[in-house]
């Protein structure tokens, strides 16, 4: 069974930075396009960043230029570097495959507030 374990969230002031990590217990991590998703209170879960098996990245307009997704296939780990954080980035952040999604992990809470 695939397990996805997110970490690295926290409370940060507007303009601050955080780096999220996602450890994936899957044998063929390098064979999956991966994404970071977020869900704010009262809103639908949305895909904010994705990375293909070849390393091509894509971002939602709301985070473009501020967030960077990356992966380390040797460590089965996905990352999200978040800079210039805004209050509207407050949400629970999750990682998952882009297609054939697995059960969601517990996510990691990001709160941007002064």
């Amino acid at each position: 069974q695939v397990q996805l374990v997110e970490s690295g969230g926290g409370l940060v002031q507007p303009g601050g930075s955080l780096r999220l990590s996602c450890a994936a217990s899957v044998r063929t991590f390098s064979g999956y396009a991966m994404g970071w998703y977020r869900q704010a209170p009262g809103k639908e879960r949305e895909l904010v960043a994705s990375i293909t098996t070849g390393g091509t990245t894509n971002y939602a307009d709301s985070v473009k230029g501020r967030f960077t997704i990356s992966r380390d296939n040797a460590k089965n780990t996905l990352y999200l570097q978040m800079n210039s954080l805004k209050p509207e980035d407050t949400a629970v952040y999750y990682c998952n495959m882009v297609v054939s999604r697995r059960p969601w992990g517990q996510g990691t809470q990001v709160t941007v507030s002064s």
Side-chain angles (χ1 to χ4, degrees):
Q1 173 126 6
V2 174
Q3 275 196 310
L4 301 165
V5 180
E6 301 91 350
S7 62
L11 172 64
V12 63
Q13 292 188 340
S17 299
L18 283 173
R19 189 193 195 204
L20 307 184
S21 298
C22 166
S25 63
V26 58
R27 222 179 306 176
T28 55
F29 177 76
S30 61
Y32 293 97
M34 296 295 298
W36 281 100
Y37 302 76
R38 69 185 181 188
Q39 187 167 22
K43 294 191 175 181
E44 299 273 321
R45 190 171 294 169
E46 62 172 341
L47 176 65
V48 296
S50 63
I51 185 167
T52 68
T53 56
T56 299
T57 57
N58 197 25
Y59 300 92
D61 287 344
S62 58
V63 308
K64 204 170 291 184
R66 301 187 297 121
F67 290 10
T68 302
I69 188 171
S70 62
R71 63 192 301 162
D72 185 337
N73 291 332
K75 296 181 178 179
N76 279 20
T77 302
L78 184 72
Y79 301 101
L80 186 69
Q81 177 67 43
M82 305 188 296
N83 299 327
S84 303
L85 282 161
K86 304 176 180 180
E88 51 263 44
D89 295 319
T90 295
V92 180
Y93 284 71
Y94 304 86
C95 66
N96 212 320
M97 286 66 178
V98 173
V99 296
S100 301
R101 284 197 291 269
R102 302 301 196 267
W104 296 96
Q106 83 286 350
T108 186
Q109 175 72 48
V110 172
T111 302
V112 185
S113 174
S114 54

